[in-house]
Amino acid sequence: MITIQQNPQSKIKDVSFDNLVFGKTFTDHMFLCRYRDGKWHTPEIKPYEPLTLDPSASVLHYGQAVFEGMKAFKDDQGKVWLFRPDENFRRINRSSHRMQIPEFPEDYFFEGLHQLLKLDHEWIKSGIGNSLYIRPFVFASQSTVQAAASEEYIFMIICAPVSTYYTGAEINVLITEEFSRAANGGVGYAKAAGNYGAQFYPTSEALKKGFQQIIWTDADRHEYLEEAGTMNIFFKIDNKLVTAPTNDRILDGVTRKSIIQIAKSKGIDVEERPIRVSEIVEAHQQGLLQEVFGTGTAVVVLSINSFSYRDTTYPLPKENPVATLLKEELVGIQYNKKQDPFHWTVAVH
Ligand SMILES: *Cc1c(COP(=O)(O)O)cnc(C)c1O
């Protein structure tokens, strides 16, 4: 079903696994499948290499592109595991649907993913913090500057070995009322390429002011808290975990939903409801705001040290017991070190 061309020259010996920069080193192989004449053609796995695109390729002009982010983990016995890959598969097709990109067949995706991981399994190092970041993506490849949905697409999967992202540095975030990440009826719930490109300017402005991330509020009134950078965000208020409900502006994170399930299984109260900025500020003033953390595949759980709103900075407690507990539990499941009562992990044979 898949044409496989093995790379005769592995570059793994040139890679310093102790000094990986996130997302800059890629494995020996890539998966590629073309859509043309109304159908997806035979997928290929071949040596990782640059692509040739016509300068008029539709994606370069109109940004018709979506992506996913997922990880593979190696346990202490050398076995490779995926974490809820069915969620990422469903989500890339949801994103594609919104961007008028043809959906990708499930068997091609999983067969491609498993074959690719088998070929590149040496790139996955065991030990907590080490993993293989997997980047499936699809883009409009037709040679045309016509402003219409492309008739040709390329679906790819590339893989990058990574070690723990964000190395214990302070995370101070800015609640923005000026910029918006996503609008009602827009593409915020999709991992559409342009969503991320549009964040770089506000984020770099925040970086200049000394913040590491932006917390996005709703585009209408900037009253409700939505996401932190490219993470979902949780607040522990008076021993309850609160996070915004998913809607068409919020990305339905796999980490988010996993953390909610783990928390509930540990007897922690979780509320999915709109959260006003004013509620957070008041809870802080009353000493009831105990923890704030972001969730996402790259970071898993990232505790936030302070937030800033209308020129006031609100420092957060140094201890983050709930974030720490939930992260340890999730990471334990991902690395096959803990029982997986939810049946989330999938072995790669
Ligand atoms: C990918 C992403 C997340 C996190 O999703 P996970 O499935 O947990 O990795 C959260 N917010 C945005 C905007 C994202 O793009």
Side-chain angles (χ1 to χ4, degrees):
M1 188 168 74
I2 297 181
T3 312
I4 297 178
Q5 185 196 337
Q6 228 172 309
N7 193 333
Q9 199 94 60
S10 174
K11 46 185 199 277
I12 196 165
K13 281 172 215 71
D14 306 332
V15 174
S16 162
F17 281 85
D18 296 330
N19 298 296
L20 292 168
V21 178
F22 183 88
K24 289 208 171 162
T25 305
F26 295 91
T27 63
D28 290 326
H29 299 89
M30 62 188 199
F31 171 90
L32 188 150
C33 186
R34 288 176 190 274
Y35 182 93
R36 190 182 278 156
D37 304 322
K39 63 172 197 283
W40 291 102
H41 289 257
T42 305
E44 305 167 72
I45 289 177
K46 56 184 191 176
Y48 190 96
E49 62 180 10
L51 300 170
T52 305
L53 279 184
D54 193 273
S56 71
S58 180
V59 65
L60 302 176
H61 304 273
Y62 307 119
Q64 211 189 352
V66 303
F67 68 94
E68 263 306 320
M70 53 201 289
K71 278 178 175 174
F73 306 90
K74 194 172 260 177
D75 69 18
D76 293 337
Q77 287 72 49
K79 198 163 169 173
V80 175
W81 299 88
L82 287 164
F83 183 73
R84 308 187 79 175
D86 48 321
E87 293 284 343
N88 299 93
F89 172 72
R90 279 203 292 275
R91 193 169 64 190
I92 199 166
N93 276 344
R94 253 193 336 265
S95 298
S96 288
H97 185 80
R98 177 62 181 81
M99 295 301 289
Q100 190 56 28
I101 295 170
E103 292 180 15
F104 196 62
E106 185 167 5
D107 52 343
Y108 283 12
F109 180 80
F110 284 102
E111 180 68 12
L113 188 55
H114 282 255
Q115 295 287 357
L116 189 59
L117 293 178
K118 261 204 279 190
L119 280 171
D120 285 337
H121 71 93
E122 280 178 36
W123 290 80
I124 314 171
K125 302 297 176 192
S126 60
I128 289 193
N130 298 322
S131 62
L132 190 71
Y133 183 79
I134 303 167
R135 169 55 61 94
F137 59 106
V138 49
F139 61 92
S141 54
Q142 192 183 2
S143 305
T144 174
V145 293
Q146 201 179 51
S150 171
E151 290 173 359
E152 294 176 14
Y153 297 88
I154 298 178
F155 188 107
M156 298 191 68
I157 306 176
I158 57 175
C159 301
V162 296
S163 53
T164 312
Y165 194 29
Y166 288 136
T167 47
E170 284 257 317
I171 305 293
N172 302 302
V173 300
L174 174 67
I175 298 179
T176 179
E177 294 184 284
E178 185 181 355
F179 299 103
S180 300
R181 193 192 86 85
N184 292 329
V187 297
Y189 71 92
K191 278 185 123 66
N195 281 344
Y196 304 84
Q199 289 188 205
F200 298 157
Y201 170 70
T203 305
S204 69
E205 290 298 292
L207 279 171
K208 279 187 214 156
K209 294 182 192 151
F211 301 103
Q212 284 71 44
Q213 289 279 357
I214 281 184
I215 294 191
W216 304 99
T217 49
D218 69 284
D220 274 347
R221 308 178 57 183
H222 298 289
E223 235 178 74
Y224 293 95
L225 294 151
E226 299 212 316
E227 298 210 52
T230 55
M231 298 181 290
N232 295 113
I233 189 163
F234 286 78
F235 302 88
K236 186 180 157 215
I237 306 168
D238 198 13
N239 295 319
K240 265 196 203 112
L241 266 190
V242 190
T243 190
T246 54
N247 56 30
D248 62 359
R249 299 184 309 272
I250 294 182
L251 203 289
D252 184 7
V254 180
T255 318
R256 173 189 179 279
K257 66 174 82 172
S258 305
I259 285 293
I260 291 173
Q261 261 185 277
I262 293 173
K264 286 182 175 167
S265 78
K266 301 257 170 224
I268 298 168
D269 278 337
V270 185
E271 287 179 6
E272 291 176 65
R273 61 168 174 81
I275 309 153
R276 279 204 170 82
V277 182
S278 58
E279 177 182 352
I280 296 303
V281 170
E282 271 165 39
H284 189 278
Q285 285 160 349
Q286 294 165 351
L288 296 175
L289 182 60
Q290 296 151 321
E291 298 182 41
V292 182
F293 58 89
T295 63
T297 294
V299 295
V300 191
V301 173
L302 182 71
S303 287
I304 290 170
N305 301 94
S306 78
F307 68 91
S308 199
Y309 177 64
R310 294 187 178 167
D311 299 325
T312 305
T313 294
Y314 300 85
L316 292 161
K318 295 243 177 306
E319 302 293 309
N320 294 280
V322 165
T324 306
L325 171 85
L326 296 173
K327 179 173 186 170
E328 273 178 15
E329 196 61 33
L330 181 54
V331 166
I333 293 172
Q334 289 175 329
Y335 286 85
N336 191 33
K337 281 183 184 291
K338 290 201 171 171
Q339 282 271 322
D340 174 17
F342 311 101
H343 309 291
W344 284 335
T345 55
V346 175
V348 177
H349 296 287

